[in-house]
Amino acid sequence: MTINYEEKLKIEKTIEENHEAKLVVEVEPEMMDTYKRRAARKISERGKIAGFRPGKAPYHMVVLNYGEQAIVEQAVDFFIDAEYSNILTEADVNPGASGRLENIESLDPPKLIFKIPLAPEVDLGDYHSIRFPYELAAPESKDVDAAMDELRQMYATTETVEREVQDGDYVQVDVESETTELKREGFATVVRNEDRDTEWPFAGFAKQLVGMKPGDTKTIQHDFPADYDLEELQGKSAEMTVTVKTVRAMTLPELDDEFAKTVGAGETLAELRDMVTKDVENRSKADYDDKYFVDLIEKIKEGATFKYHQHSLDHEGEHVLNDLTQRLGQQGMDLDTYFKLRNTTREQFIEDEVKPVAKKRFERSLILDELVRKEEIEVDNEALDNEFSQTLNALAMQGMDLSKVRGGKKGQQQLAQAVAMESANRVMTRRALEMLKSIAVGEYKSPEERKAEAAALKAEQAKEEEKVSEAESAVPAVLSKSKDEGEAGSSSEEETKS
């Protein structure tokens, strides 16, 4: 049966400032009566009314025994279950979360008030006009030298010594701090002459250990920059209590062909250096890209307009807390203990630290999602398959035995689905970032241009395949002709001899 909702429902829609839709729904009395009678039957099925079998009592007897209010409450539940999606469709509302019945304004006529959080929206502004040069510099020779030294340290021999820490020593320390991200037990570091940006937790940390002996403790204060890699430490000042556990003097292997063979990077030192150079280039590019795209997205945010309900931000905040909970769990700590160490409450921590991180993450995801939609970015199956395989290989290299996943085949299927989803998200994110980069450096191509190029490439490939097919078809014919000519020649020779 088709219902004409314009006749049965009158809907008044108001979009409120908190990105929530207020719907005042007036229900045609006859329609509500249908649900009230259904509700009365349901109530009579559950209860007992003298003289009537369950579900057979007339409406007025149900009212007499249970009251009109009980019937109305049940009828409203039935009405919402059956008609809520239709109401959203008629009102042209795109929900971002489950709505709620705010109030029953009247029963004659039936008038219900709903509040529905709307789906997030973002207007990217004139993002096509943004220019941001991509200026990746090739690593310097000193960067390769540093990487070679790190490789030597991996293959170095060490000897425990009972003396003060010196340059070149391998030192094990315990790091205590109210900041969870800085807590370490048995952390190993090498004291180098030069500072390195990759040093944990900051460049120059290990140098501050020089002069300490095993058992010595030192308090180190550090102000982390606003662009620090870890969001939780950006712009923060932190104090660490460092205790030296062991000091080991290192003996480094010579940089020669034998060392290259030991590492397994070829037969010569030159081949080893080539491999290390490529690795440094890849890491340098990854580091540059991370900062480049963070800054580029910030530029887009400056011209973008966001609209979202607080529920969306709270939901993202839950993800931020869950991520923190998992990291703490790896260190044997729970959230409550963490809050005590930080001398804060859950509410204050959420307000001061979770919400800013959640806002930043959420708005970034909105920008990328909208870019994917507007630019019609798609992911091909080949890219998905490659990413999926690489992820599974990485898990296997980390020691995960996929055949022993908890839950048997069902567990394996769930893991495969999770990996597939994560792989798709990564590929789509990379495509979106590549699109942003093409815009920023002035190499943008519209969806129509990209489709035209793809169609031309496909046509060219089809022509090449057709040529190959024709060539392959011609080979048997040539061979057959050669065979016939050969047989004819043999016949002529025999006739001549005769």
Side-chain angles (χ1 to χ4, degrees):
M1 180 180 67
T2 302
I3 298 176
N4 187 339
Y5 286 98
E6 291 185 3
E7 295 179 1
K8 299 291 185 181
L9 301 173
K10 293 181 181 178
I11 303 174
E12 178 186 330
K13 179 173 72 172
T14 304
I15 304 300
E16 301 186 333
E17 290 185 1
N18 63 348
H19 203 55
E20 186 174 70
K22 176 184 178 182
L23 301 182
V24 180
V25 181
E26 185 176 327
V27 187
E28 198 270 339
E30 184 180 340
M31 185 181 198
M32 184 56 77
D33 284 343
T34 301
Y35 287 104
K36 287 171 69 175
R37 294 190 178 280
R38 188 186 300 176
R41 285 198 301 273
K42 186 69 175 179
I43 291 172
S44 69
E45 286 174 359
R46 293 200 305 257
K48 293 182 179 180
I49 299 178
F52 298 95
R53 287 180 296 165
K56 299 299 182 180
Y59 184 86
H60 72 278
M61 291 300 297
V62 179
V63 173
L64 187 62
N65 281 267
Y66 292 94
E68 182 77 19
Q69 185 63 31
I71 295 175
V72 169
E73 290 176 359
Q74 182 69 71
V76 169
D77 288 342
F78 281 156
F79 171 80
I80 293 173
D81 289 344
E83 307 296 347
Y84 182 70
S85 61
N86 297 322
I87 291 172
L88 296 183
T89 301
E90 288 297 310
D92 191 23
V93 168
N94 182 18
S98 299
R100 66 189 185 278
L101 176 63
E102 185 80 2
N103 188 27
I104 300 176
E105 191 170 277
S106 69
L107 292 176
D108 189 18
K111 189 178 288 188
L112 313 177
I113 299 178
F114 295 92
K115 294 286 188 73
I116 303 104
L118 296 173
E121 298 175 12
V122 58
D123 181 349
L124 298 180
D126 186 17
Y127 67 98
H128 285 118
S129 67
I130 290 176
R131 292 296 177 267
F132 192 50
Y134 185 86
E135 299 170 335
L136 173 63
E140 298 179 15
S141 179
K142 66 177 184 179
D143 299 320
V144 179
D145 291 340
M148 293 286 283
D149 285 342
E150 288 179 356
L151 194 58
R152 291 175 70 197
Q153 289 163 11
M154 291 174 60
Y155 287 85
T157 58
T158 63
E159 179 183 1
T160 301
V161 292
E162 294 297 327
R163 59 164 171 77
E164 296 178 344
V165 176
Q166 301 176 0
D167 285 346
D169 283 346
Y170 175 94
V171 187
Q172 261 193 332
V173 298
D174 288 344
V175 183
E176 286 293 329
S177 176
E178 291 185 356
T179 304
T180 301
E181 290 75 18
L182 295 174
K183 290 171 67 70
R184 291 288 190 277
E185 187 173 338
F187 173 70
T189 186
V190 176
V191 182
R192 299 182 175 89
N193 290 322
E194 71 289 343
D195 292 344
R196 298 190 182 181
D197 293 336
T198 56
E199 184 178 358
W200 185 91
F202 58 85
F205 170 78
K207 274 188 177 181
Q208 301 201 36
L209 306 177
V210 172
M212 297 178 67
K213 296 178 180 178
D216 286 354
T217 296
K218 182 178 183 179
T219 298
I220 298 175
Q221 180 85 22
H222 185 72
D223 296 327
F224 291 89
D227 61 350
Y228 188 70
D229 291 342
L230 197 61
E231 286 184 343
E232 289 82 355
L233 293 175
Q234 291 176 354
K236 302 287 179 64
S237 179
E239 189 175 276
M240 293 156 276
T241 302
V242 182
T243 302
V244 174
K245 306 298 289 184
T246 58
V247 180
R248 299 178 70 87
M250 287 203 308
T251 303
L252 300 176
E254 293 295 326
L255 272 178
D256 52 24
D257 292 346
E258 285 303 315
F259 179 60
K261 294 175 184 177
T262 300
V263 173
E267 296 294 317
T268 66
L269 182 60
E271 290 176 336
L272 172 62
R273 189 172 180 86
D274 286 343
M275 182 204 74
V276 171
T277 300
K278 290 178 182 177
D279 182 63
V280 171
E281 288 173 347
N282 290 336
R283 283 188 286 155
S284 176
K285 183 179 185 304
D287 292 341
Y288 180 83
D289 283 353
D290 285 345
K291 187 174 187 311
Y292 176 83
F293 287 117
V294 166
D295 293 343
L296 179 54
I297 289 175
E298 285 300 313
K299 280 186 170 293
I300 292 176
K301 280 176 65 174
E302 291 173 5
T305 303
F306 299 92
K307 293 181 181 179
Y308 49 81
H309 191 270
Q310 183 62 39
H311 177 277
S312 300
L313 204 56
D314 292 342
H315 185 65
E316 185 66 32
E318 291 174 4
H319 287 302
V320 174
L321 268 182
N322 286 338
D323 291 344
L324 176 60
T325 301
Q326 290 180 1
R327 292 201 303 271
L328 291 173
Q330 294 171 356
Q331 301 176 33
M333 187 185 300
D334 58 28
L335 275 177
D336 290 336
T337 304
Y338 176 70
F339 295 147
K340 290 177 182 177
L341 288 173
R342 295 288 303 275
N343 193 28
T344 187
T345 63
R346 182 185 184 91
E347 293 73 19
Q348 192 64 43
F349 181 78
I350 289 175
E351 190 66 31
D352 294 344
E353 302 195 34
V354 172
K355 284 186 177 181
V357 173
K359 186 174 187 292
K360 188 174 182 179
R361 278 176 31 169
F362 183 61
E363 291 183 349
R364 178 181 185 273
S365 69
L366 287 180
I367 287 174
L368 295 180
D369 288 346
E370 180 66 5
L371 188 77
V372 167
R373 186 190 69 80
K374 288 179 72 70
E375 298 297 338
E376 302 176 24
I377 299 174
E378 297 178 347
V379 177
D380 56 278
N381 289 332
E382 182 179 355
L384 286 176
D385 290 343
N386 289 338
E387 187 70 25
F388 182 80
S389 298
Q390 289 176 14
T391 304
L392 287 182
N393 290 337
L395 291 174
M397 290 180 66
Q398 292 171 14
M400 176 178 285
D401 188 344
L402 300 180
S403 64
K404 296 181 180 179
V405 173
R406 188 178 301 174
K409 289 186 177 180
K410 185 176 180 180
Q412 292 174 3
Q413 290 175 348
Q414 291 174 340
L415 175 63
Q417 290 172 355
V419 170
M421 182 66 71
E422 181 64 25
S423 299
N425 288 337
R426 279 201 299 269
V427 174
M428 189 63 81
T429 298
R430 280 203 298 270
R431 295 283 171 89
L433 293 175
E434 288 167 4
M435 177 61 65
L436 279 182
K437 178 183 169 184
S438 73
I439 293 169
V441 299
E443 298 176 356
Y444 170 73
K445 294 179 181 178
S446 69
E448 292 74 21
E449 290 174 315
R450 297 198 306 273
K451 288 177 183 177
E453 287 184 357
L457 178 61
K458 189 174 182 180
E460 185 65 29
Q461 291 174 339
K463 287 182 181 179
E464 291 297 324
E465 291 174 0
E466 186 177 351
K467 288 180 182 179
V468 171
S469 179
E470 289 175 354
E472 290 175 346
S473 299
V475 170
V478 172
L479 292 176
S480 177
K481 182 178 179 181
S482 299
K483 182 178 179 182
D484 291 343
E485 289 175 351
E487 291 176 351
S490 298
S491 177
S492 297
E493 290 177 4
E494 289 177 1
E495 290 176 0
T496 301
K497 290 178 181 179
S498 300

